Amino acid sequence: MTSAVVALVVVKAFFPGSEAGPGPSPGDPSASFAAQSATQSATQSTARTEGRHPSSPSPAPPATGRAPAAALDALLTKSAADREKVTDAVNAVESCVSAAAVAAAGAGLDAAAVRRDGLIEDLSRIAVEEIEGGQAAAEELRTAWRRSAEADRAFARWARDAAGCSSGSVPHGSAYDRGVASSGLATQAKQEFLRTWAPIAGRYGLPVRDHTRI
């Protein structure tokens, strides 16, 4: 029995936690340290997770460029209306329904050229430098409208040359050829402009256009 008592004393001496006892008291420093460590670990985990999955919205387009972009878009709308008139006038000369119709078409083409000049002047008043990529787009558009004005004047000359024509026999001389050439150059310039303008229009929620509508 003495040996058993000695063994029990040895076990308690070397393994004091081998028997269930009361847990740590509320004021136990070790318990407080463990709670703080758990809180810090959870905070760091949350920070890493948020860093991997940012939820911030995409930046809005600069407010300074919105007004000039809208003003330029308004000029494109005006230009679209002029293009339709030019197309109708050229078709009127080509069909040569009457001398009066051909003369009116020639006058309409001259007027369209003047309006193109006005669009270029209006464009120069827009603060395109406030738009990212705006200066390059404006220069391409200016070139396109200049070429269009050249085409309008050449076709107007063609209309005067066609005076006295009859349906189905409208002459196509040098003025007509200049009009076709200038119109082709205008189309190329418009396509270049639209490649520059498309991302700007998208940035500000403006309409998407094609070269037949400017």
Side-chain angles (χ1 to χ4, degrees):
M1 179 175 181
T2 302
S3 299
V5 171
V6 171
L8 180 58
V9 171
V10 170
V11 170
K12 288 185 176 182
F14 286 92
F15 303 100
S18 60
E19 293 182 10
S25 63
D28 189 345
S30 63
S32 177
F33 176 77
Q36 291 177 0
S37 298
T39 300
Q40 291 175 355
S41 177
T43 302
Q44 293 172 356
S45 177
T46 301
R48 287 195 298 270
T49 301
E50 291 178 350
R52 289 196 301 269
H53 303 284
S55 57
S56 57
S58 301
T64 54
R66 186 176 299 279
L72 195 154
D73 182 71
L75 294 184
L76 297 179
T77 299
K78 291 175 62 176
S79 179
D82 274 337
R83 180 181 173 84
E84 292 177 1
K85 294 176 181 178
V86 167
T87 300
D88 291 343
V90 170
N91 290 337
V93 178
E94 191 67 62
S95 60
C96 191
V97 173
S98 66
V102 172
L109 288 163
D110 278 328
V114 172
R115 288 193 296 272
R116 307 270 197 191
D117 295 339
L119 288 171
I120 294 172
E121 290 180 8
D122 291 342
L123 180 61
S124 68
R125 299 187 185 100
I126 298 175
V128 293
E129 68 278 3
E130 296 181 4
I131 310 169
E132 183 180 352
Q135 290 177 302
E139 184 57 35
E140 291 162 350
L141 182 58
R142 189 175 292 112
T143 298
W145 280 339
R146 283 174 179 163
R147 293 299 189 183
S148 291
E150 292 171 1
D152 295 341
R153 291 187 169 94
F155 284 132
R157 176 67 185 179
W158 168 57
R160 289 189 287 273
D161 292 344
C165 63
S166 58
S167 180
S169 61
V170 179
H172 295 93
S174 59
Y176 176 83
D177 292 339
R178 286 197 302 274
V180 171
S182 294
S183 181
L185 292 173
T187 296
Q188 292 177 11
K190 289 174 183 178
Q191 290 172 334
E192 291 174 1
F193 160 73
L194 289 172
R195 281 192 288 270
T196 305
W197 176 251
I200 298 174
R203 192 183 312 147
Y204 293 103
L206 299 171
V208 176
R209 301 176 183 270
D210 61 70
H211 72 276
T212 65
R213 302 293 300 170
I214 60 174

